[in-house]
Amino acid sequence: MIEFITVVDERRKKIGLKPRADVHRDGDWHETFHCWLVEGGRLFLQRRSDTKQDFPGLFDITAAGHLAAGETVRDGVREVQEEIGLEVTLDELTALGVFEDVIETETFLDREFAHTYVYSYAGEPFTLDAAEVADLVTVDRERFTALVTGDIETIEATSALTGEPHNVTCASLVPHPTSYWNDVMTGIKAFADERHD
């Protein structure tokens, strides 16, 4: 079954519908949903399944996905349950903003307007969709920020499921642009600071 996605212009105005593969082939702008889980000073990353077509085995956003044709951001919240098994509503999330997230490889150009949210994790059990997510790990948020800004080269991560240690480098991350990382980490820091006030 072909998944259709709404194509938008640079101002996020809807242009039409296209199959997902064509959107990535042609570099069309489209909308996605991103959710980051935080717990205190820790940030959750998913490790993508080794069978994923794009970026298998790399560390990425806690839970994310494309908005299919006709879907709204509220529909996008399903990604959190589908990928990591947490039942949350949009009202339980805090909006960080809509960020441009452009990833270009030799085979595709992914140009997203990412509706980005943060969720304060409260110890709920995870159930991973093994076809999508191989593991969830936590990293120190400040050290992760230093990693993506190039101040350090490697950080330690711990599996939230098994306690197994991992090393995370920029090469082991999905290659989101620096501007995206800056937007996300600035937003999460403001969220964390506000909760401590």
Side-chain angles (χ1 to χ4, degrees), residues 32-36 61 63-65 101 112 114-118 176 180:
T32 56
F33 169 85
H34 293 183
C35 183
W36 290 92
I61 301 151
D101 185 14
E112 303 180 1
H115 297 260
T116 307
Y117 292 81
V118 62
H176 297 283
Y180 173 80

Side-chain angles (χ1 to χ4, degrees), residues 14-124:
K14 292 177 182 174
I15 297 172
L17 304 179
K18 281 175 89 167
R20 175 173 173 162
D22 293 355
V23 168
H24 286 167
R25 179 198 65 204
D26 299 338
D28 297 303
W29 284 103
H30 54 288
E31 296 187 292
T32 56
F33 169 85
H34 293 183
C35 183
W36 290 92
L37 264 63
V38 297
E39 183 180 31
R42 308 287 290 176
L43 180 70
F44 287 80
L45 303 173
Q46 71 160 256
R47 188 171 75 78
R48 294 166 65 85
S49 166
D50 292 329
T51 59
K52 292 284 285 183
Q53 180 178 346
D54 301 321
F55 311 115
L58 297 189
F59 294 100
D60 201 3
I61 301 151
T62 320
H66 288 74
L67 298 183
E71 286 190 324
T72 66
V73 177
R74 196 168 287 277
D75 297 312
V77 178
R78 66 178 155 65
E79 296 288 348
V80 182
Q81 182 174 2
E82 288 177 4
E83 291 190 355
I84 63 174
L86 294 192
E87 290 191 37
V88 297
T89 66
L90 191 65
D91 298 330
E92 295 175 280
L93 310 181
T94 298
L96 299 182
V98 180
F99 304 139
E100 292 186 10
D101 185 14
V102 180
I103 299 177
E104 186 170 4
T105 72
E106 292 179 0
T107 55
F108 73 89
L109 174 58
D110 187 13
R111 298 204 298 175
E112 303 180 1
F113 287 115
H115 297 260
T116 307
Y117 292 81
V118 62
Y119 176 68
S120 186
Y121 178 65
E124 306 96 317

Side-chain angles (χ1 to χ4, degrees), residues 4-16:
F4 281 87
I5 289 177
T6 301
V7 173
V8 299
D9 64 16
E10 292 84 353
R11 297 185 184 88
R12 290 172 40 209
K13 184 172 183 283
K14 292 177 182 174
I15 297 172

